[in-house]
Amino acid sequence: MIISEGSKRLQKQKPVICLMGPTASGKTSLAIELCQMLGGEIISVDSALIYRDMDIGTAKPSDEERSAAVHHLIDIRDPSENYSVAEFRDDAYELLEDIYQRGKWPILAGGTMLYFKALLQGIADLPATDDTIRAQVNAKLKEEGAPALHEWLKEIDPKSAERLHPNDPQRISRAIEVYLMSGKSLTQWHQEQALQKFPYDCLQVALAPQERSILHHRIEQRFDTMLQSGFLEEVEKLMARGDLSLELPSMRSVGYRQVWLYLQGEYDLEQARYRSIVATRQLAKRQLTWLRSWEEVNWIDSLSKNNCAIILKSLSNISI
């Protein structure tokens, strides 16, 4: 992407704020507060908020919240459509340029860590799967087993073979397929990805309560609020369309799958509630695991009352 000279000057004045964190940690309210203090605009980093007509179960910002601060990348896809990580990266870059051009402060806020990773660390534009090559690799797997596949990977991509467990046939197969389709190892693809430097100064903030029990309580409370706000009716309307299924990324969002199965009679409402809360807790755990391995991230407690001030102080300490 070409960054204009005007944008280069602005980006030196206004580092991008990346507000990350697990679900139900309070990112939306803090992002809005930052927008109001800094004259900013929010770019949503959430793979569920992109879908129209999925408002309650995604905890989408309310009309009042969206009038308090400009939000981008919300309601940009129908639930029947896909939206790739690469598309997010392209859209986010375009929005960053536009926000800087208008003299505003960009705030990336959300919990889809794969989106943040693609934006900040680059993305390997891996070749699409080829059915013939996949069949070839699967045949070897079936005939000789995962250890033989791992030995094959050692010959063509030793670093990936060292990284992947011998009993992980799915990832080993994919690494071999990438090499057979492109002539380049997965390691080489990732090395090229690392060269895609994020062109903006950036402050990365992780928002989460210090006690995991607090987050679990918030998740449970929020799901009960969703039920009271008409979440069942929302999923009923989506089912009634007739063109959606549980195979789509939109319907695999936490809560939607469980409520869908409840409405199909797979289990009762209490089971749907319990399974939804457990799935959301598991999502939060994965998000926290990502963040703990993240470099250059500043942790702040969701329960602190001066988080805006903490972030502003961190901004002033960035060497530009």
Side-chain angles (χ1 to χ4, degrees):
M1 176 180 176
I2 298 174
I3 308 295
S4 72
E5 289 302 316
S7 181
K8 287 179 181 177
R9 288 193 297 272
L10 284 168
Q11 73 191 54
K12 289 297 181 184
Q13 299 167 15
K14 298 176 169 36
V16 176
I17 299 173
C18 293
L19 183 56
M20 313 167 178
T23 186
S25 59
K27 297 182 296 294
T28 297
S29 58
L30 180 55
I32 291 171
E33 190 177 353
L34 285 168
C35 278
Q36 293 174 334
M37 292 187 69
L38 298 172
E41 296 184 10
I42 298 169
I43 299 175
S44 170
V45 188
D46 190 302
S47 60
L49 296 189
I50 64 169
Y51 296 113
R52 294 185 287 272
D53 302 321
M54 292 175 59
D55 303 332
I56 298 171
T58 62
K60 194 172 289 180
S62 65
D63 290 342
E64 183 180 357
E65 289 171 322
R66 291 168 76 171
S67 65
V70 176
H71 287 71
H72 300 280
L73 299 188
I74 292 179
D75 292 337
I76 61 170
R77 288 289 187 276
D78 183 81
S80 63
E81 298 173 330
N82 292 323
Y83 185 66
S84 69
V85 176
E87 287 175 305
F88 164 79
R89 187 172 184 268
D90 290 344
D91 289 344
Y93 267 123
E94 185 175 344
L95 285 165
L96 285 167
E97 172 75 357
D98 184 53
I99 291 169
Y100 275 128
Q101 287 288 349
R102 290 185 282 103
K104 299 293 185 179
W105 202 311
I107 298 169
L108 288 150
T112 301
M113 301 311 300
L114 192 59
Y115 283 6
F116 274 119
K117 180 175 170 52
L119 189 66
L120 299 177
Q121 300 178 11
I123 184 171
D125 191 17
L126 298 175
T129 299
D130 180 277
D131 290 339
T132 302
I133 290 176
R134 170 158 286 186
Q136 176 189 346
V137 176
N138 284 342
K140 186 174 180 68
L141 173 63
K142 186 175 181 180
E143 292 172 9
E144 303 181 33
L149 217 57
H150 192 256
E151 289 298 319
W152 186 10
L153 183 60
K154 279 183 182 179
E155 297 174 10
I156 59 179
D157 188 356
K159 287 189 176 180
S160 288
E162 184 179 351
R163 178 174 54 85
L164 297 175
H165 193 280
N167 291 325
D168 188 354
Q170 183 176 353
R171 292 181 180 177
I172 293 171
S173 297
R174 179 57 176 155
I176 292 172
E177 288 172 20
V178 166
Y179 176 80
L180 294 177
M181 286 185 288
S182 66
K184 292 193 296 187
S185 70
L186 191 58
T187 299
Q188 187 176 347
W189 280 100
H190 287 158
Q191 287 171 343
E192 292 173 1
Q193 168 189 341
L195 298 176
Q196 303 172 28
K197 181 176 173 59
F198 187 63
Y200 303 96
D201 293 304
C202 180
L203 173 67
Q204 299 177 51
V205 177
L207 179 69
Q210 291 184 353
E211 297 293 331
R212 183 76 62 88
S213 60
I214 294 172
L215 187 62
H216 287 180
H217 178 67
R218 283 187 168 192
I219 287 170
E220 185 172 350
Q221 230 178 10
R222 190 172 72 170
F223 189 76
D224 286 339
T225 300
M226 289 176 181
L227 290 176
Q228 295 164 10
S229 302
F231 187 28
L232 299 182
E233 290 77 12
E234 180 173 87
V235 180
E236 279 182 329
K237 288 180 182 177
L238 293 167
M239 291 177 69
R241 286 177 37 157
D243 63 336
L244 302 178
S245 74
L246 293 180
E247 304 306 313
L248 289 167
S250 59
M251 294 299 103
R252 290 201 296 266
S253 300
V254 290
Y256 284 87
R257 179 180 183 82
Q258 291 77 13
V259 170
W260 183 296
L261 291 172
Y262 155 69
L263 293 170
Q264 282 188 330
E266 293 288 328
Y267 33 69
D268 62 30
L269 182 56
E270 185 55 37
Q271 287 177 309
R273 175 185 178 275
Y274 172 76
R275 288 169 182 258
S276 297
I277 290 170
V278 169
T280 310
R281 287 178 178 177
Q282 290 170 340
L283 169 62
K285 182 179 180 181
R286 291 194 298 272
Q287 291 167 321
L288 287 167
T289 299
W290 271 80
L291 283 166
R292 289 195 185 99
S293 66
W294 214 265
E295 296 181 1
E296 300 179 9
V297 67
N298 300 272
W299 287 87
I300 58 176
D301 186 355
S302 298
L303 301 184
S304 296
K305 296 183 178 180
N306 59 339
N307 282 331
C308 260
I310 293 171
I311 292 174
L312 291 177
K313 184 177 180 181
S314 298
L315 285 170
S316 68
N317 291 336
I318 291 181
S319 176
I320 300 176

